[in-house]
Amino acid sequence: MIKFFRKIRKKLIEEDNVRKYLLYAIGEIVLVVIGILIALQINNWNEEKIMDRMVSQALSEIREDLVQDTLTLQSRITLQLAEFEAQTRVVDALTRQTLNEEEHRSDLGKLMLMRETVLLRNGYDYLKDLGISHLNRPELRQTLLQYYEHDYAMLRKDLQNDEFEFEDVWLPYARVHFKDWEFGEYAVPHSYSNIQNDTYLLTTLKINLTNKDGTIRAHSQALETAKSLITMLETR
């Protein structure tokens, strides 16, 4: 092809036909430009295909993370609900002054506990590195942001509050007023009478129930969003 154009160029130069030569030169430039544009388009197309594959890989990893997250969240909700009910029974017993070892030994071991909830972000972080704007499904993109940027943040905030109350409020109290304590299993106070008449303990447990309710709600919201995301990812 190049040899063919050279022959034409040589012939026009030999004929000393300036007008035809200029037209030929312009035509050759146009062909070169068209060739460059086609090459750029092919390169862009290839890059888009590569990006689509990486985004698809990130979404597959996100789905795997979410499946594990739903198991973790459901497990935590079940535990937290049981602990909430146990603490409610203790609050009722303290209010009625009917606290006793036979009925409440196990419940006392479930007061103001903090349990870590670890959710997976590997797939989402990979997608963020690629650029979440490459995801051309607005509803899915919005739900991902809801789960990882909002629900996750709210969950972490509630867990931090639980950690503070457990470590800075409950443990110091338990060390002074309990002779035996096993995390989540049981607790035995030095004197049932003393803690039964301790208004500080009753008030503290009531406040903590409100915080526990918030933590359970945060877990439930995250679980609902995670399930929605799994459904959306499975129908892509």
Side-chain angles (χ1 to χ4, degrees), residues 59-71 73 137 140 143-144 147-148 222-236:
L59 293 177
S60 295
E61 190 170 347
I62 287 172
R63 183 192 172 280
E64 292 176 6
D65 291 345
L66 289 168
V67 169
Q68 184 59 50
D69 282 357
T70 58
L71 297 176
L73 289 165
R137 294 175 59 185
L140 176 57
T143 309
L144 283 169
Y147 181 73
Y148 287 102
L223 178 61
E224 181 181 341
T225 309
K227 287 180 177 179
S228 297
L229 278 170
I230 291 172
T231 300
M232 295 171 72
L233 290 168
E234 287 177 345
T235 56
R236 61 194 168 104

Side-chain angles (χ1 to χ4, degrees), residues 50-62 65 120-134 148:
I50 292 171
M51 180 58 68
D52 287 344
R53 284 198 298 270
M54 289 192 295
V55 168
S56 180
Q57 180 182 345
L59 293 177
S60 295
E61 190 170 347
I62 287 172
D65 291 345
L120 303 177
R121 293 177 57 96
N122 295 335
Y124 179 69
D125 288 340
Y126 177 36
L127 180 62
K128 282 183 68 177
D129 288 340
L130 294 175
I132 198 168
S133 59
H134 290 294
Y148 287 102

Side-chain angles (χ1 to χ4, degrees), residues 5-13 21 24 28:
F5 285 126
R6 283 178 179 172
K7 285 182 179 179
I8 295 175
R9 191 185 308 119
K10 183 177 180 182
K11 183 179 179 182
L12 291 172
I13 291 172
Y21 180 78
Y24 163 78
E28 191 171 300

Side-chain angles (χ1 to χ4, degrees), residues 167 170-179 190:
E167 294 185 352
W170 176 247
L171 286 184
Y173 184 91
R175 289 189 180 101
V176 173
H177 295 86
F178 286 80
K179 60 183 178 181
H190 291 293

